Amino acid sequence: MLLHLSTWPEVEAYLNHSSGLILPIGSTEQHGPTGLIGTDAICAEAIARGVGEATQALVAPTINVGMALHHTAFPGSISLRPSTLMLVIRDYLTSLARAGFTKFFFINGHGGNMATLKAAFSETYAVLADLNLPNSDRVQCRLANWFMCSSVYQLAKELYGNQEGSHATPSEVALTQYVYPEAIKQAELSPEAASGHPIYGAADFRRRYPDGRMGSNPALATPEHGKQFYERAVKELSSSYLEFLAQD
């Protein structure tokens, strides 16, 4: 059940039996010469919809733009500042908490969002308490990074070894190839991808990682691999969501 394809009476009926909501969040940023700029949002959305179907949960619209300031020296990348993203999350959750939602399960596709999301959750709890909304003390947020699922991590290691890298990875590229086979890209990649450098500003990032990859070889990706990553992530995160709902 997708929130944006539902009516308000349908959402009200849903809230009569569940206060849980799945929120996919990603990023719009470069993913190397062959990775789609929307990779992080595409992956989060596809998996969130799969989890929603498996658990009969309501799925919110995808938050497509995240905290990706260090990628903005590459054309097409879009970013929110951490402070802006925190306000966006706070306003999303305040609106939804007013309606009666209390369990927010974020399926995240971008590592750069993690610190900001955790800070946003803490700020939201404080804001909701100050507003004295009904059940504000019951509101809970959970961050679930699909790429950190143990079953996903294990498969990536089996398929790609140390060529998985940490950005523009074959695992995430494979998942986008499974979701959008008509958008598979090809390009000549240098044999070695830069890795191990710290992340500072956007210009420094592009200087250290000139083609956008971080130790990865996305040429190894296939749609068949993507299907395996999708199925494993959906299974693992469905269990995590139901456990989260069951917790007081």
Side-chain angles (χ1 to χ4, degrees), residues 2-220:
L2 303 178
L3 181 65
H4 68 287
L5 297 183
S6 304
T7 63
W8 72 259
E10 289 176 320
V11 176
E12 189 169 70
Y14 173 86
L15 284 164
N16 286 331
H17 64 83
S18 178
S19 64
L21 182 67
I22 296 172
L23 298 97
I25 182 169
S27 183
T28 299
E29 63 184 46
Q30 70 83 19
H31 273 78
T34 60
L36 305 180
I37 286 176
T39 290
D40 291 342
I42 291 167
C43 293
E45 179 172 277
I47 292 167
R49 291 188 177 194
V51 173
E53 291 174 3
T55 62
Q56 298 300 297
L58 189 62
V59 180
T62 303
I63 302 173
N64 290 283
V65 178
M67 206 305 288
L69 291 173
H70 52 291
H71 291 294
T72 54
F74 292 87
S77 298
I78 307 172
S79 181
L80 300 177
R81 297 183 183 187
S83 55
T84 305
L85 182 56
M86 287 177 65
L87 290 173
V88 169
I89 298 300
R90 188 192 75 183
D91 287 355
Y92 264 57
L93 298 185
T94 300
S95 298
L96 293 163
R98 288 185 189 277
F101 292 97
T102 61
K103 291 275 193 171
F104 300 103
F105 192 79
F106 283 77
I107 294 182
N108 177 44
H110 174 49
N113 287 339
M114 293 165 62
T116 302
L117 285 173
K118 290 177 181 179
F121 296 164
S122 295
E123 180 160 323
T124 299
Y125 299 143
V127 168
L128 294 178
D130 289 343
L131 291 173
N132 200 29
L133 292 181
N135 292 320
S136 61
D137 62 325
R138 314 287 292 183
V139 170
Q140 298 176 353
C141 302
R142 174 72 60 86
L143 177 58
N145 306 296
W146 79 267
F147 50 88
M148 294 180 70
C149 289
S150 60
S151 58
V152 167
Y153 179 83
Q154 182 61 39
L155 179 61
K157 287 299 180 184
E158 292 173 3
L159 292 174
Y160 313 126
N162 61 10
Q163 295 187 79
E164 167 71 352
S166 57
H167 181 67
T169 63
S171 59
E172 61 185 345
V173 170
L175 183 47
T176 65
Q177 291 178 346
Y178 170 61
V179 177
Y180 288 109
E182 72 278 11
I184 295 174
K185 310 295 183 180
Q186 302 291 336
E188 185 174 344
L189 301 175
S190 59
E192 296 294 329
S195 64
H197 301 295
I199 296 175
Y200 299 112
D204 182 81
F205 184 94
R206 182 157 183 175
R207 182 167 57 250
R208 297 175 186 272
Y209 300 100
D211 73 353
R213 293 180 296 154
M214 299 178 71
S216 64
N217 183 8
L220 299 175

